[in-house]
Amino acid sequence: MNARRRSDDRTETIMQAVLDLALESGYAKLSMEAVAARAGVGKDTIYRRWPSKGPLFLDSLLSLNQDVLDYPDTGDVLADLRQQIHAAVDLLANPPWGPLYRALIGEAQHNPAVATGLNDRFIRPQAGRTVARIKAAQEQGQVSPDFDLDLAMAILSGPLYFQLLITHEPLTHEYVDRVLDALFAGMGPRSRP
Protein backbone atom coordinates (compact mmCIF):
# COMPACT_ATOMS: atom_id res chain seq x y z
CA MET A 1 0.00 0.00 0.00
CA ASN A 2 1.43 3.36 -0.95
CA ALA A 3 1.85 6.23 1.51
CA ARG A 4 -0.93 8.31 -0.10
CA ARG A 5 -3.48 5.50 0.23
CA ARG A 6 -2.41 4.81 3.81
CA SER A 7 -2.83 8.51 4.63
CA ASP A 8 -6.29 8.57 3.00
CA ASP A 9 -7.33 5.48 4.97
CA ARG A 10 -6.06 7.02 8.20
CA THR A 11 -7.98 10.26 7.47
CA GLU A 12 -11.20 8.31 6.84
CA THR A 13 -10.68 6.33 10.06
CA ILE A 14 -10.15 9.53 12.07
CA MET A 15 -13.21 11.25 10.59
CA GLN A 16 -15.39 8.19 11.20
CA ALA A 17 -14.19 8.10 14.81
CA VAL A 18 -15.19 11.76 15.19
CA LEU A 19 -18.68 11.11 13.84
CA ASP A 20 -19.17 8.00 15.97
CA LEU A 21 -18.00 9.70 19.17
CA ALA A 22 -20.06 12.84 18.51
CA LEU A 23 -23.18 10.73 18.00
CA GLU A 24 -22.48 8.65 21.10
CA SER A 25 -21.65 11.38 23.60
CA GLY A 26 -22.27 14.72 21.88
CA TYR A 27 -19.96 17.27 20.39
CA ALA A 28 -19.32 19.04 23.70
CA LYS A 29 -17.68 15.90 25.13
CA LEU A 30 -15.67 15.19 21.99
CA SER A 31 -11.91 15.41 22.55
CA MET A 32 -8.88 14.95 20.37
CA GLU A 33 -7.64 12.33 22.84
CA ALA A 34 -10.82 10.28 22.50
CA VAL A 35 -10.69 10.55 18.70
CA ALA A 36 -7.05 9.40 18.65
CA ALA A 37 -7.87 6.44 20.89
CA ARG A 38 -10.93 5.43 18.84
CA ALA A 39 -9.08 5.80 15.54
CA GLY A 40 -5.98 3.99 16.81
CA VAL A 41 -3.63 6.84 15.94
CA GLY A 42 -1.48 9.24 17.91
CA LYS A 43 -2.71 12.73 18.73
CA ASP A 44 0.14 14.15 16.67
CA THR A 45 -1.31 12.45 13.59
CA ILE A 46 -4.57 14.31 14.14
CA TYR A 47 -2.97 17.65 15.00
CA ARG A 48 -0.86 17.52 11.81
CA ARG A 49 -4.11 17.68 9.83
CA TRP A 50 -6.43 19.68 12.09
CA PRO A 51 -5.52 22.41 14.62
CA SER A 52 -8.52 21.70 16.85
CA LYS A 53 -11.69 19.67 17.14
CA GLY A 54 -13.88 22.29 15.40
CA PRO A 55 -12.22 22.05 11.96
CA LEU A 56 -11.90 18.27 12.41
CA PHE A 57 -15.63 18.02 13.13
CA LEU A 58 -16.45 20.22 10.12
CA ASP A 59 -14.37 18.08 7.76
CA SER A 60 -15.83 14.90 9.22
CA LEU A 61 -19.44 15.97 8.83
CA LEU A 62 -18.91 17.35 5.33
CA SER A 63 -17.29 14.07 4.30
CA LEU A 64 -20.71 12.42 4.54
CA ASN A 65 -22.52 11.98 1.26
CA GLN A 66 -24.79 14.96 0.51
CA ASP A 67 -25.75 14.07 -3.07
CA VAL A 68 -29.42 14.02 -2.07
CA LEU A 69 -29.24 17.82 -1.90
CA ASP A 70 -28.70 18.26 -5.63
CA TYR A 71 -31.52 19.94 -7.52
CA PRO A 72 -33.59 18.30 -10.18
CA ASP A 73 -34.80 20.45 -13.06
CA THR A 74 -38.10 19.07 -14.26
CA GLY A 75 -39.30 22.41 -15.59
CA ASP A 76 -41.55 22.94 -12.55
CA VAL A 77 -39.65 25.02 -10.00
CA LEU A 78 -42.13 24.43 -7.19
CA ALA A 79 -41.97 20.64 -7.64
CA ASP A 80 -38.17 20.78 -7.84
CA LEU A 81 -37.84 22.88 -4.69
CA ARG A 82 -40.30 20.63 -2.90
CA GLN A 83 -38.34 17.50 -3.86
CA GLN A 84 -34.97 18.97 -2.86
CA ILE A 85 -36.15 20.47 0.42
CA HIS A 86 -38.01 17.28 1.36
CA ALA A 87 -34.69 15.43 0.84
CA ALA A 88 -32.89 17.99 3.03
CA VAL A 89 -35.55 17.66 5.75
CA ASP A 90 -35.23 13.87 5.65
CA LEU A 91 -31.46 14.21 5.99
CA LEU A 92 -31.77 16.61 8.95
CA ALA A 93 -34.47 14.58 10.70
CA ASN A 94 -32.25 11.57 11.28
CA PRO A 95 -28.82 10.60 12.53
CA PRO A 96 -26.12 11.03 11.65
CA TRP A 97 -26.75 14.33 9.85
CA GLY A 98 -29.44 15.95 12.01
CA PRO A 99 -27.80 15.99 15.44
CA LEU A 100 -24.32 16.46 14.02
CA TYR A 101 -25.34 19.40 11.82
CA ARG A 102 -27.03 21.13 14.78
CA ALA A 103 -23.85 20.64 16.81
CA LEU A 104 -21.74 22.04 13.96
CA ILE A 105 -23.93 25.15 13.74
CA GLY A 106 -23.56 25.55 17.50
CA GLU A 107 -19.77 25.36 17.22
CA ALA A 108 -19.83 27.88 14.35
CA GLN A 109 -21.42 30.46 16.66
CA HIS A 110 -18.20 30.93 18.62
CA ASN A 111 -15.54 29.50 16.31
CA PRO A 112 -14.86 31.84 13.36
CA ALA A 113 -12.83 29.24 11.45
CA VAL A 114 -15.69 26.73 11.64
CA ALA A 115 -18.24 29.42 10.70
CA THR A 116 -16.21 30.42 7.67
CA GLY A 117 -15.63 26.82 6.63
CA LEU A 118 -19.30 25.91 7.05
CA ASN A 119 -20.40 28.95 5.05
CA ASP A 120 -17.81 28.50 2.30
CA ARG A 121 -18.09 24.75 1.91
CA PHE A 122 -21.76 24.00 2.59
CA ILE A 123 -24.20 26.84 3.21
CA ARG A 124 -23.11 29.23 0.43
CA PRO A 125 -22.85 26.51 -2.26
CA GLN A 126 -26.23 25.08 -1.27
CA ALA A 127 -27.82 28.55 -1.28
CA GLY A 128 -26.19 29.21 -4.65
CA ARG A 129 -27.79 26.09 -6.12
CA THR A 130 -31.17 27.15 -4.75
CA VAL A 131 -30.89 30.68 -6.14
CA ALA A 132 -29.69 29.32 -9.50
CA ARG A 133 -32.73 27.02 -9.70
CA ILE A 134 -35.11 29.88 -8.86
CA LYS A 135 -33.29 32.16 -11.35
CA ALA A 136 -33.78 29.58 -14.10
CA ALA A 137 -37.48 29.50 -13.21
CA GLN A 138 -37.55 33.30 -13.26
CA GLU A 139 -36.08 33.28 -16.76
CA GLN A 140 -38.78 30.77 -17.80
CA GLY A 141 -41.54 33.02 -16.46
CA GLN A 142 -42.42 30.83 -13.45
CA VAL A 143 -41.26 33.49 -10.99
CA SER A 144 -41.90 37.22 -11.07
CA PRO A 145 -39.06 38.94 -12.96
CA ASP A 146 -38.65 41.56 -10.25
CA PHE A 147 -38.57 39.22 -7.24
CA ASP A 148 -35.32 39.46 -5.25
CA LEU A 149 -33.84 35.95 -5.45
CA ASP A 150 -31.53 36.38 -2.45
CA LEU A 151 -34.57 37.41 -0.43
CA ALA A 152 -36.40 34.33 -1.71
CA MET A 153 -33.53 32.19 -0.37
CA ALA A 154 -33.68 33.91 3.02
CA ILE A 155 -37.46 33.54 3.21
CA LEU A 156 -37.18 29.90 2.24
CA SER A 157 -34.41 28.90 4.63
CA GLY A 158 -35.34 31.07 7.62
CA PRO A 159 -38.40 29.08 8.75
CA LEU A 160 -36.52 25.80 8.34
CA TYR A 161 -33.58 26.92 10.47
CA PHE A 162 -35.99 28.45 12.99
CA GLN A 163 -37.65 25.08 13.56
CA LEU A 164 -34.40 23.14 13.42
CA LEU A 165 -32.43 25.35 15.81
CA ILE A 166 -34.81 27.48 17.88
CA THR A 167 -38.11 25.69 18.48
CA HIS A 168 -36.77 22.15 17.88
CA GLU A 169 -40.10 21.24 16.34
CA PRO A 170 -39.89 18.46 13.80
CA LEU A 171 -39.19 19.48 10.25
CA THR A 172 -41.84 17.76 8.16
CA HIS A 173 -42.74 17.62 4.50
CA GLU A 174 -46.05 19.30 5.39
CA TYR A 175 -44.23 22.23 7.00
CA VAL A 176 -41.97 22.56 3.96
CA ASP A 177 -45.03 22.56 1.71
CA ARG A 178 -46.63 25.36 3.76
CA VAL A 179 -43.43 27.44 3.53
CA LEU A 180 -43.17 26.89 -0.23
CA ASP A 181 -46.84 27.72 -0.78
CA ALA A 182 -46.48 30.95 1.19
CA LEU A 183 -43.29 31.91 -0.65
CA PHE A 184 -44.73 31.20 -4.09
CA ALA A 185 -47.89 33.14 -3.34
CA GLY A 186 -45.69 36.24 -3.18
CA MET A 187 -43.09 35.19 -5.75
CA GLY A 188 -45.34 34.07 -8.58
CA PRO A 189 -45.64 36.01 -11.82
CA ARG A 190 -48.19 38.79 -11.66
CA SER A 191 -50.67 39.49 -14.39
CA ARG A 192 -50.37 42.97 -15.82
CA PRO A 193 -53.54 45.10 -16.04
Side-chain angles (χ1 to χ4, degrees):
M1 181 182 292
N2 67 30
R4 173 82 176 148
R5 179 68 191 145
R6 198 169 38 250
S7 176
D8 290 347
D9 289 347
R10 192 173 297 144
T11 298
E12 287 177 30
T13 300
I14 292 167
M15 290 193 300
Q16 188 59 54
V18 168
L19 297 173
D20 292 345
L21 287 167
L23 280 172
E24 289 168 16
S25 58
Y27 176 77
K29 294 182 181 175
L30 186 68
S31 71
M32 298 297 253
E33 293 79 12
V35 171
R38 175 70 64 97
V41 299
K43 284 192 304 184
D44 289 345
T45 300
I46 297 173
Y47 280 111
R48 271 195 296 276
R49 292 175 174 91
W50 298 279
S52 64
K53 77 176 187 175
L56 171 57
F57 187 58
L58 173 69
D59 284 353
S60 300
L61 183 58
L62 294 184
S63 74
L64 294 175
N65 187 350
Q66 307 154 27
D67 291 341
V68 298
L69 299 181
D70 288 339
Y71 271 96
D73 188 348
T74 65
D76 179 347
V77 67
L78 184 54
D80 294 348
L81 287 170
R82 194 177 313 277
Q83 180 180 335
Q84 192 276 345
I85 298 169
H86 284 181
V89 162
D90 293 343
L91 189 68
L92 291 170
N94 300 297
W97 249 93
L100 296 177
Y101 187 64
R102 283 190 297 277
L104 184 61
I105 290 173
E107 175 65 12
Q109 300 313 299
H110 59 85
N111 186 327
V114 171
T116 298
L118 180 59
N119 279 318
D120 290 349
R121 295 173 52 202
F122 182 71
I123 294 173
R124 213 172 282 129
Q126 195 61 40
R129 285 191 285 276
T130 302
V131 169
R133 181 62 192 96
I134 298 171
K135 182 172 178 44
Q138 192 176 48
E139 291 166 355
Q140 298 163 353
Q142 296 179 47
V143 172
S144 174
D146 57 348
F147 201 91
D148 180 331
L149 300 183
D150 291 326
L151 180 60
M153 180 62 210
I155 293 169
L156 187 57
S157 60
L160 303 177
Y161 277 104
F162 180 75
Q163 281 211 202
L164 179 70
L165 300 172
I166 306 300
T167 67
H168 299 281
E169 293 177 49
L171 284 173
T172 64
H173 290 196
E174 294 76 24
Y175 182 71
V176 168
D177 293 345
R178 288 176 35 223
V179 170
L180 284 168
D181 291 343
L183 176 61
F184 272 81
M187 198 167 68
R190 290 166 178 66
S191 57
R192 306 263 188 240

